[in-house]
Amino acid sequence: MLADPKSEALADSFAMQWLEIERLSTRLPDPKKYPTWSEELKQDMVTETRLFATEVMRGNKSVLDFIDGPYTFLNERLARHYGIQGVSGPEFRKVSLEGTPRGGILTQGSVLTATSNPTRTSPVKRGKWVLDAILGSPPPPPPPGVSVLLPEVKENKVLTMREKLEVHLKDPICASCHVKMDPIGFGLENFDGVGAWREKEDGAPVDVSGTMPGGQKFAGPVALKKILKGRSDDFSRTFSNRLLTYALGRGLKNSDRAFVENISARGKASGHFFASYVEGVVLSEAFRRRPAQENRR
């Protein structure tokens, strides 16, 4: 089934939907801040993510590769944007990321740009995305009337993004949720608002240290991905939830929780191979007995 060319639709629909890549269509990075940005580069980023998802799915690889798979698909323009050498020409090809801080979907330009603002990164959006798409524990929406404006200057000093958020976190109304999101996003601050690698922000070294909900400390994207991979049960459950939601064409109900657990357990027992998750969905009572109007896939 996965070898059938029709399975490519999973990468174009399920994966793009789960990873929220459609957000990229509404992101307009400021050309003054990011002069290398272009419509062509954006399409390259989407192609990278699509080809990567197709490789995991049709190649029946471990879904944990979504967290830290040490490979991706690049052409010369995107490789140059990432600072990766040895890729020439417009054609995309599989490229090893061994020895680099990149790997998996968290470090791909599509996700990093889609979770940024036009003129800056957003540790808040990036942290929220990880909590939701990877760990399946999204924070609640902000209370009505809460200001989203961040201070720009303190004591005559221009603040880095981290410093702005740390000032913002002193508001107890905001802190209860932001203390979970922001530190995760800090771990991805080596990537600017369009996914290029950086060591400094406005001349100051980027601080990429953070703490996960629960107390695990880390510094930088490699350490963050290691922690996320270590929470494979959470990711497996989240992935199963999203795949079943896609297959049913509806939101899940409380009565579907047992199906999600069964799908996740099947995937885990196989070594997290993608085909096992598909089998779990197809064999579930939720899928086999879905009403005709829900049969959209």
Side-chain angles (χ1 to χ4, degrees):
M1 181 173 64
L2 293 178
D4 191 306
K6 293 181 181 178
S7 67
E8 291 184 9
L10 281 175
D12 286 332
S13 49
F14 163 64
M16 296 294 121
Q17 175 182 306
W18 160 45
L19 301 175
E20 301 180 34
I21 303 303
E22 70 276 2
R23 289 185 182 184
L24 199 58
S25 64
T26 62
R27 290 291 183 267
L28 297 173
D30 187 335
K32 293 182 180 179
K33 180 72 174 180
Y34 304 111
T36 62
W37 179 257
S38 67
E39 181 67 23
E40 292 77 14
L41 183 62
K42 179 176 76 172
Q43 292 306 316
D44 289 343
M45 292 178 177
V46 173
T47 299
E48 175 193 18
T49 300
R50 181 180 293 117
L51 291 174
F52 180 84
T54 300
E55 175 76 2
V56 175
M57 295 175 179
R58 296 193 70 191
N60 191 27
K61 296 183 179 296
S62 168
V63 299
L64 299 183
D65 277 8
F66 281 114
I67 297 178
D68 73 343
Y71 58 89
T72 193
F73 292 82
L74 303 174
N75 63 2
E76 181 176 357
R77 178 168 46 222
L78 189 54
R80 184 169 60 248
H81 181 68
Y82 286 172
I84 294 175
Q85 306 297 317
V87 180
S88 60
E91 301 82 9
F92 277 80
R93 77 294 311 264
K94 189 175 182 180
V95 176
S96 171
L97 296 175
E98 294 285 358
T100 79
R102 295 188 187 267
I105 53 177
L106 276 74
T107 65
Q108 291 183 8
S110 59
V111 169
L112 293 165
T113 304
T115 53
S116 292
N117 290 323
T119 60
R120 59 174 174 82
T121 61
S122 176
V124 177
K125 291 179 181 178
R126 289 177 175 178
K128 180 179 182 295
W129 184 90
V130 170
L131 287 173
D132 188 10
I134 304 299
L135 299 178
S137 55
V146 173
S147 174
V148 296
L149 297 177
L150 297 176
E152 296 294 330
V153 178
K154 182 182 179 183
E155 299 174 352
N156 298 320
K157 176 189 175 184
V158 177
L159 301 177
T160 65
M161 177 52 57
R162 186 183 187 108
E163 290 169 334
K164 294 173 187 177
L165 287 171
E166 286 174 346
V167 172
H168 193 62
L169 279 172
K170 292 182 178 179
D171 185 339
I173 297 177
C174 303
S176 60
C177 288
H178 281 268
V179 73
K180 301 174 183 177
M181 298 183 291
D182 299 5
I184 296 176
F186 291 150
L188 297 171
E189 278 290 273
N190 275 135
F191 302 104
D192 71 12
V194 292
W197 182 262
R198 63 180 183 176
E199 299 285 349
K200 295 183 178 182
E201 177 191 358
D202 296 328
V206 177
D207 184 351
V208 293
S209 60
T211 305
M212 295 291 294
Q216 283 179 293
K217 296 184 182 298
F218 64 91
V222 174
L224 173 59
K225 289 186 295 176
K226 183 177 180 179
I227 290 176
L228 294 176
K229 190 173 182 180
R231 294 182 60 174
S232 59
D233 286 353
D234 292 330
F235 177 68
S236 178
R237 192 175 297 111
T238 302
F239 187 80
S240 300
N241 182 303
R242 298 300 182 93
L243 190 61
L244 183 60
T245 298
Y246 173 81
L248 298 180
R250 62 167 173 80
L252 299 189
K253 308 170 185 176
N254 287 337
S255 57
D256 294 318
R257 290 181 179 177
F259 302 127
V260 170
E261 293 296 333
N262 289 338
I263 295 165
S264 180
R266 176 185 284 266
K268 180 180 178 181
S270 76
H272 297 287
F273 289 117
F274 176 70
S276 296
Y277 288 89
V278 175
E279 290 171 358
V281 168
V282 172
L283 294 176
S284 70
E285 290 297 308
F287 183 80
R288 294 168 63 189
R289 296 186 178 182
R290 67 198 187 286
Q293 64 267 28
E294 290 182 0
N295 187 9
R296 300 179 183 178
R297 304 292 183 251

